[in-house]
Amino acid sequence: MIIKNANIYTESKVFQKGELCIQDGKFSNQTTEPTVLDAQGCYAIPGLIDLHLHGCAGHDLCDGTLASLTSIAEYEAAAGITAICPATMTLPKQELLDILRTAGEYQKLSQEQSASKGADLVGINMEGPFISSAKKGAQDPQHIVSCSVETAREFIDASNGLVKLIGIAPECNPDFASFITQLKGQIHISLAHTNADYATAMAAFDAGADHAVHLYNAMPAFTHRAPGVIGAVCDSPHVYAELICDGIHIHPSVVRATLRMLGTDRIVFISDSMRATGMPDGSYTLGGLDVNVKNKKATLASDGAIAGSASNLMECVKTAVTQMDIPLETAVACATINPAKRLGIFQERGSISVGKKADLVLLDDSLQVQAVIKDGKCLDIRN
């Protein structure tokens, strides 16, 4: 395939007018494939990578079924998200093990296919169960447990190595430093749903934790005398931080300030989407809890707390650009290059570079998806 006249997003994080060649499902310097696609007036960006979502299209990772994972993957790919690392909720241990085994089985089956019309499952982000009841958000507190290296390794083994991140609340786990030290070479340890103060968060990051789950949400506020987790993230250059740019979770001014404070290389845009994404307003569930969704806002029926989002990552990127004044070049990096590097898959995806998987999205000047190409083939994105 040849894609002509596109404004191509490069690894230098700028757009350049040019032509792309795709051969055997990868970006190439030349091609013998006869298909020519005219992308006049379109941006060509890498397929997005969402490293924190729960579900969409009426389905959730924690349904624990191959059918749900298939539906999630197909919805995401059609929206321009070509790789996913969905997140688990705080559930009973045995239920989590079953969910992880199903995910590992799904990945194995997907890899046996030469190409898939669904987003590739590239990891699992374990948001619970080692969290704080004080900052539980939409997590079920009755299933919160103390962090355990043995349990974490059971999770990793059950997923066939698919688990890439595990969250903890260090203030609730006195032996958090040992937990982090023993696991940090195998997975990324994140601070998630935590009430940690600055000193405790810094101790966790100094021990080797290197990720923060949805910065600002489910953690202490950032204030001038108590900077908390957010201040610790700022002072720890090795730490990546997730941001939900759906226009509901974080004020646009805070998104802009955070990009200036942390820089653009370690912020990862996520959707945190739940099963209502792509669905009409109504009543849904998340982690066994009832959720009401109205005008893209998902809240717990019990107390009105925000319960994930009802926006996919492409919608979040568009919101960041059109409503938050984030440059398109920055927003794309935060949804492609940065998550790919965080997940350790940048050598094969996350940018439009020769030799990488030919996953890309064509956007018009209003940032509407015009085409999705995955593994070098155009997907049917009709709703």
Side-chain angles (χ1 to χ4, degrees), residues 42-323:
C42 287
Y43 298 106
I45 66 172
L48 304 191
I49 302 170
D50 195 348
L51 65 67
H52 187 148
L53 71 155
H54 295 281
C56 54
H59 300 274
D60 191 291
L61 166 70
C62 290
D63 294 341
T65 68
L66 296 175
S68 282
L69 282 166
T70 299
S71 295
I72 290 168
E74 291 182 357
Y75 169 89
E76 294 291 319
I81 301 104
T82 56
I84 55 173
C85 175
T88 55
M89 297 293 289
T90 298
L91 297 167
K93 176 181 172 180
Q94 188 56 53
E95 190 172 342
L96 286 170
L97 288 170
D98 291 341
I99 290 164
L100 294 169
R101 289 190 189 99
T102 300
E105 180 184 356
Y106 175 87
Q107 188 195 44
K108 181 180 178 181
L109 292 171
S110 298
Q111 289 175 341
E112 290 172 355
Q113 304 173 17
S114 58
S116 168
K117 64 179 180 178
D120 294 328
L121 181 61
V122 295
I124 297 292
N125 184 345
M126 296 200 72
E127 195 171 357
F130 307 136
I131 61 172
S132 163
S133 59
K135 292 292 182 180
K136 65 183 186 300
Q139 306 280 337
D140 192 336
Q142 66 179 323
H143 303 307
I144 293 173
V145 296
S146 297
C147 66
S148 157
V149 172
E150 180 182 358
T151 300
R153 286 180 173 152
E154 286 185 69
F155 289 151
I156 296 166
D157 291 343
S159 73
N160 197 28
L162 196 56
V163 170
K164 303 300 182 186
L165 305 102
I166 294 182
I168 64 167
E171 77 283 6
C172 298
N173 296 279
D175 60 346
F176 69 84
S178 176
F179 178 87
I180 295 168
T181 300
Q182 292 183 67
L183 291 171
K184 66 181 181 181
Q186 190 171 2
I187 57 170
H188 297 290
I189 306 297
S190 58
L191 267 56
H193 289 265
T194 173
N195 206 30
D197 60 16
Y198 174 84
T200 305
M202 281 300 296
F205 292 142
D206 288 343
D210 60 0
H211 194 83
V213 169
H214 45 50
L215 200 69
Y216 298 103
N217 298 109
M219 62 181 59
F222 175 56
T223 69
H224 61 299
R225 292 194 183 93
V229 175
I230 298 157
V233 170
C234 181
D235 286 345
S236 304
H238 69 291
V239 176
Y240 280 65
E242 303 172 359
L243 282 185
I244 309 171
C245 294
D246 63 346
I248 294 170
H249 279 77
I250 308 173
H251 192 281
S253 177
V254 176
V255 174
R256 292 190 294 269
T258 305
L259 283 161
R260 289 194 294 269
M261 183 169 65
L262 269 63
T264 59
D265 291 338
R266 56 190 182 108
I267 289 178
V268 177
F269 286 177
I270 64 165
S271 70
D272 198 22
S273 67
M274 48 90 70
R275 68 173 77 242
T277 302
M279 303 289 286
D281 287 352
S283 298
Y284 298 88
T285 60
L286 178 64
L289 304 179
D290 292 330
V291 176
N292 297 323
V293 177
K294 185 175 182 181
N295 297 327
K296 289 283 191 180
K297 185 175 184 179
T299 56
L300 287 181
S302 60
D303 61 10
I306 293 179
S309 86
S311 297
N312 65 50
L313 183 58
M314 188 63 76
E315 291 171 330
C316 290
V317 166
K318 182 177 179 181
T319 297
V321 175
T322 62
Q323 298 179 30

